[in-house]
Amino acid sequence: SHSRGLVHMVWLSTEHDFYPGSEQHTFLVAELESVNRTLTPWVFVLGHRPMYTSRYSTANYLVQTHQREAYEDVLQKYGVDVFWGGHYHSYERTCAVYQEKCRETKAGNPLATVHIMVGMAGAGHDQPDWQHESWAVSHYIDYGYNRVLVANATHLLTEYVENEKDEVQDSAWIVSDHRWQDTAEQQWGRGQ
């Protein structure tokens, strides 16, 4: 894990045991419990494989499903703002999603983790076989990169920049008071 500016980042291995009781799961919970949200209000968790993608491959789908079973509730409980994954050679961004449903206030502010897949840096592209999922907001299959501007304690800008045109193809402001997990539980209860 590492803190930089207003952000605390936790890296996980999506290739090793991450289920409750494992060393990695215990580490994740301890890390998230220890975050001082006054000093580092933004919390990112990063792993090689995404927890959410509308790309379908049987083996990879099983891994992302197992990840959600193992620690999606942990991300929700501790108010993780963004989960960054890769693996698929493409880009995708979700809404704030929990249990496969978009969870946002009427103003569009998150009540769950936003998932961003950034696997489009250099390897050959995957085939454009996106499945229609209500939580999938944006996806691209072009070489590019993701850049993030943490403007302040409550506003973050994420942008996907396509290399060839050097143009922003996807852009989103995430606006959060980082207390959304309490609001979410009041609105629809844990596990709903």
Side-chain angles (χ1 to χ4, degrees):
S1 69
H2 178 73
S3 292
R4 180 145 181 114
L6 297 172
V7 180
H8 185 73
M9 296 166 272
V10 182
W11 284 265
L12 297 177
S13 170
T14 58
E15 311 306 306
H16 297 91
D17 188 3
F18 44 67
Y19 274 96
S22 70
E23 185 176 333
Q24 187 166 213
H25 193 278
T26 302
F27 163 77
L28 175 63
V29 170
E31 272 296 308
L32 296 177
E33 283 178 346
S34 72
V35 175
N36 181 335
R37 295 303 280 262
T38 301
L39 296 177
T40 53
W42 293 98
V43 176
F44 300 163
V45 173
L46 304 92
H48 173 70
R49 294 176 191 255
M51 285 179 66
Y52 280 93
T53 178
S54 60
R55 303 293 311 277
Y56 185 78
S57 159
T58 303
N60 291 319
Y61 180 77
L62 289 174
V63 172
Q64 66 183 333
T65 300
H66 291 304
Q67 284 185 91
R68 289 197 299 263
E69 290 170 1
Y71 54 86
E72 185 172 32
D73 286 343
V74 174
L75 302 186
Q76 184 69 17
K77 178 179 179 180
Y78 294 103
V80 171
D81 297 292
V82 182
F83 183 94
W84 304 90
H87 188 68
Y88 289 92
H89 300 163
S90 51
Y91 167 85
E92 186 168 28
R93 178 175 54 83
T94 71
C95 59
V97 61
Y98 176 63
Q99 297 182 336
E100 299 190 44
K101 293 181 183 172
C102 293
R103 311 289 187 160
E104 298 173 337
T105 66
K106 290 178 183 175
N109 297 337
L111 294 174
T113 304
V114 174
H115 295 259
I116 301 176
M117 182 176 67
V118 288
M120 66 295 178
H125 297 119
D126 287 327
Q127 296 301 310
D129 56 351
W130 305 103
Q131 305 297 310
H132 176 73
E133 298 288 354
S134 61
W135 40 260
V137 174
S138 177
H139 45 253
Y140 290 90
I141 299 180
D142 288 308
Y143 293 115
Y145 60 94
N146 192 237
R147 63 183 174 202
V148 177
L149 168 67
V150 177
N152 56 42
T154 59
H155 289 70
L156 175 151
L157 175 64
T158 178
E159 296 178 318
Y160 162 62
V161 181
E162 190 265 332
N163 278 354
E164 190 173 323
K165 298 175 189 169
D166 193 28
E167 293 178 358
V168 173
Q169 299 297 315
D170 183 53
S171 176
W173 280 97
I174 301 173
V175 179
S176 180
D177 64 6
H178 313 289
R179 293 189 303 270
W180 51 259
Q181 66 277 18
D182 298 328
T183 303
E185 191 162 341
Q186 289 170 8
Q187 285 191 358
W188 36 266
R190 178 129 350 255
Q192 297 293 312

